[in-house]
Amino acid sequence: MFFSVIYFFPKLILYFIALMIFDMEYATIIAQQRSFFNTHATKKVSFRIQQLKKLKACIQHNETLLFDAIYKDFKKSDYETYVSELSLIYHEIDLAIAKVKKWSKRKRVLSSLANFPSKSYIIPEPLGSTLIIGAWNYPYQLSLGPVVGAMAAGCTIILKPSEIAMHSAQAMQHIINTTFDPEYCTVILGGIAETSALLEHKFDKIFFTGSTHVGKIIYQAAAKHLTPVTLELGGKSPAIVTPQCDIAMTAKRLVWAKFLNAGQTCIAPDYIMVHEDVHDALLEALITHIKKAQYTIANKNYTQIINDRNFDRLIQYIDASKVAFGGSYDQKERTITPTLLTAITFDDTVMQEEIFGPILPILKYTSIDTAIQQIRTLDKPLSCYVFTKNTALKNKILNEISFGGGAINDAVMHITESRLPFGGVGNSGMGNYHGEAGFESFSHYKGILQKPFWLEPNLKYAPYNSTKLNIIKKLLG
Ligand code: NAD
């Protein structure tokens, strides 16, 4: 005991000194960003467009660096990195450049009779100094996607990517910090200690992507300063497969959506609820498509599990008695092959938390009402997918299950639609982004009533009397 104290005490002191130095550095950067924001430079639409163009150019010029970094983190292939990260960011940037002028314009709305004569309008204004905290599973998209919204809205930005995908975080730090002035946009690296130190400071907006557990910590830290938050969290997203669907196409789309990024996707179908009549046909079709995709340990295009902790957590779910396909893994390579589990119930361990890996439990249902009831016993998911040609059934599910967003007869692809707001509800998050929703997320909407001086009816002024009351009742309804 004595020796361990002698050994650890100096290290602990050094650690706290390092944190204090970091904290002073953070305070300086935040103060510089605040002063820069107060120059109003970021409010000019031309400035925002210029920064968005710079962002796109620096990503494009550094694609190879970004591909290499993410491959080092978890062997994510160039193809998947381009399709599921960079192309989405480019698309967001292009849309923001094309629309930011329109989004940031003041909007006229009708004034009521009570204020005649007057004008009413809404002015979008940037919230100010923002902190964006990213997750590791799509390190570029989940960090730089919100940056696009913040830039379009005219905010200053501190980006803290996830330390878990360390090489990707360092690559982003390199390209952002060599492209932008730190008083406008900068990347700070770090884990829990550094993020906690950052959260002690006051921001005008915090945008967080990550787990529900950490989301609660962020929300509490933000509450101390009454800072508005967007929380992009996780959950167990169901895919409901009804008898009235094209089974082969359903399986093809589900296999892609689930095993993309080795299942480490917040909106991946977490589990399948399939009608008993089509259970066997779906299982067979899923196996066919997994085989076609060649997701094997040897395949260089099949992503690794991010770290040992997640690998160990995932293999606990592989109950050999329930494996219908797959179930093999390689500890050294941190790879788990696509695994289908059958005869699963809501009581199984795999149904108790978000899987976040290439393991897909398949549950049978007989009655859609019971299936909906069971899904609703879990927290509100980030996504829900319905495979059906039956419009009434589709509408029933959309009406009766609350979830962030989703797709009909597809999965995951709704994230590619910049015109759809993206976000969770309940335990899967609060607030939205992508496209205009991203701009809104970093904006405050000032409501303004403007009156001329030439007329002011005496009706609202004291002394009051019954005649005034009768007129007011008629006017205001
Ligand atoms: P995480 O919550 O562990 O980490 C996210 C971020 O929070 C990281 O930057 C990390 O450094 C920081 N962090 C971790 N612990 C902290 C603490 N105690 N105090 C302050 N900051 C802390 O999440 P993750 O493992 O990176 O990502 C996986 C989770 O994120 C899954 O639940 C997934 O569903 C969810 N997710 C959601 C979305 C979405 O868009 N809704 C996208 C991707 C991932």
Side-chain angles (χ1 to χ4, degrees):
M1 173 70 185
F2 176 73
F3 287 110
S4 61
V5 170
I6 292 281
Y7 180 76
F8 283 115
F9 192 65
K11 289 195 170 198
L12 211 63
I13 298 277
L14 280 176
Y15 176 73
F16 281 116
I17 292 174
L19 264 186
M20 276 166 61
I21 295 170
F22 278 141
D23 199 43
M24 277 155 53
E25 209 180 290
Y26 299 162
T28 309
I29 295 173
I30 294 164
Q32 282 172 346
Q33 291 207 344
R34 238 175 231 296
S35 316
F36 181 63
F37 181 76
N38 289 334
T39 65
H40 308 293
T42 65
K43 291 184 181 162
K44 293 191 190 97
V45 172
S46 57
F47 175 87
R48 304 184 200 181
I49 292 176
Q50 192 190 14
Q51 305 310 311
L52 287 162
K53 286 183 177 167
K54 268 165 81 173
L55 179 66
K56 185 170 179 188
C58 80
I59 301 171
Q60 278 177 327
H61 292 151
N62 288 286
E63 273 186 1
T64 311
L65 176 83
L66 295 169
F67 285 148
D68 292 349
I70 202 167
Y71 192 80
K72 279 187 198 143
D73 281 325
F74 55 134
K75 290 200 174 164
K76 183 159 174 165
S77 66
D78 294 1
Y79 182 87
E80 279 200 6
T81 302
Y82 191 83
V83 166
S84 66
E85 308 233 24
L86 303 190
S87 71
L88 297 183
I89 302 168
Y90 293 150
H91 185 61
E92 281 285 308
I93 296 175
D94 290 343
L95 186 71
I97 290 172
K99 299 282 181 184
V100 64
K101 199 167 168 199
K102 182 173 169 226
W103 295 341
S104 50
K105 261 204 183 119
R106 63 174 64 175
K107 288 168 194 71
R108 277 287 294 268
V109 288
L110 277 181
S111 295
S112 68
L113 197 58
N115 282 309
F116 181 80
S118 71
K119 276 188 210 170
S120 289
Y121 46 90
I122 300 164
I123 308 175
E125 69 171 20
L127 280 172
S129 143
T130 67
L131 171 64
I132 295 172
I133 304 172
W136 58 263
N137 57 324
Y138 287 84
Y140 303 138
Q141 191 218 125
L142 300 175
S143 300
L144 300 174
V147 166
V148 176
M151 280 187 177
C155 293
T156 60
I157 301 145
I158 291 180
L159 167 63
K160 208 297 294 175
S162 171
E163 74 286 9
I164 308 278
M166 197 247 294
H167 295 97
S168 309
Q170 285 170 344
M172 279 187 282
Q173 186 190 40
H174 172 73
I175 66 169
I176 296 290
N177 292 7
T178 53
T179 305
F180 296 97
D181 291 331
E183 60 187 11
Y184 169 58
C185 175
T186 193
V187 173
I188 289 179
L189 298 183
I192 297 178
E194 290 80 2
T195 316
S196 307
L198 274 170
L199 287 168
E200 287 298 316
H201 297 272
K202 184 174 166 57
F203 290 92
D204 298 311
K205 169 83 191 192
I206 298 176
F207 189 106
F208 171 80
T209 305
S211 59
T212 302
H213 167 69
V214 179
K216 289 178 185 172
I217 297 173
I218 305 293
Y219 201 10
Q220 279 176 350
K224 278 193 296 193
H225 299 292
L226 280 184
T227 300
V229 291
T230 296
L231 300 175
E232 296 286 340
L233 312 176
K236 285 186 88 59
S237 301
I240 305 169
V241 181
T242 72
Q244 303 90 342
C245 77
D246 177 329
I247 288 289
M249 189 56 80
T250 297
K252 187 174 187 172
R253 290 176 180 167
L254 278 174
V255 165
W256 178 83
K258 176 68 185 185
F259 301 109
L260 170 80
N261 214 29
Q264 301 165 112
T265 304
C266 55
I267 49 171
D270 186 272
Y271 63 100
I272 294 178
M273 294 286 284
V274 56
H275 191 274
E276 58 184 356
D277 289 354
V278 287
H279 173 275
D280 294 353
L282 179 73
L283 180 62
E284 198 183 311
L286 288 169
I287 294 171
T288 304
H289 285 288
I290 293 172
K291 285 181 178 164
K292 268 194 192 161
Q294 300 173 5
Y295 292 130
T296 60
I297 291 163
N299 185 344
K300 279 198 161 48
N301 287 324
Y302 184 53
T303 311
Q304 280 182 321
I305 303 304
I306 186 74
N307 55 22
D308 290 337
R309 189 173 62 83
N310 273 294
F311 182 89
D312 294 341
R313 179 182 64 80
L314 285 166
I315 57 173
Q316 301 298 316
Y317 293 140
I318 305 176
D319 173 351
S321 68
K322 300 199 168 178
V323 172
F325 183 80
S328 55
Y329 50 84
D330 183 322
Q331 179 102 42
K332 205 166 125 268
E333 282 297 313
R334 288 200 324 270
T335 305
I336 302 174
T337 59
T339 299
L340 304 178
L341 304 177
T342 48
I344 296 291
T345 71
F346 276 79
D347 295 328
D348 280 286
T349 323
V350 74
M351 291 302 293
Q352 306 314 309
E353 60 170 33
E354 181 184 4
I355 298 169
F356 221 53
I359 297 165
L360 184 55
I362 302 170
L363 293 86
K364 266 187 206 174
Y365 75 83
T366 310
S367 131
I368 193 65
D369 284 307
T370 316
I372 291 174
Q373 225 177 338
Q374 285 174 316
I375 291 168
R376 289 178 47 143
T377 60
L378 304 180
D379 287 324
K380 293 179 181 183
L382 184 56
S383 299
C384 178
Y385 306 112
V386 184
F387 291 84
T388 192
K389 293 177 191 169
N390 181 327
T391 306
L393 194 54
K394 174 201 75 180
N395 288 337
K396 177 181 171 65
I397 294 168
L398 289 179
N399 186 41
E400 295 182 12
I401 301 176
S402 177
F403 56 92
I408 309 300
N409 302 329
D410 206 348
V412 169
M413 289 305 287
H414 61 297
I415 200 172
T416 63
E417 286 300 331
S418 289
R419 284 166 187 84
L420 293 179
F422 180 82
V425 58
N427 269 34
S428 56
M430 62 177 72
N432 291 295
Y433 74 129
H434 288 183
E436 190 167 7
F439 174 90
E440 287 167 358
S441 175
F442 289 94
S443 299
H444 163 65
Y445 287 82
K446 259 182 194 158
I448 302 293
L449 171 73
Q450 182 179 318
K451 283 190 167 179
F453 287 112
W454 58 268
L455 182 70
E456 180 65 357
N458 230 7
L459 220 48
K460 80 175 182 202
Y461 294 97
Y464 308 126
N465 57 39
S466 55
T467 317
K468 280 186 175 180
L469 181 61
N470 285 336
I471 299 173
I472 277 287
K473 277 182 168 175
K474 287 205 170 71
L475 280 177
L476 301 185

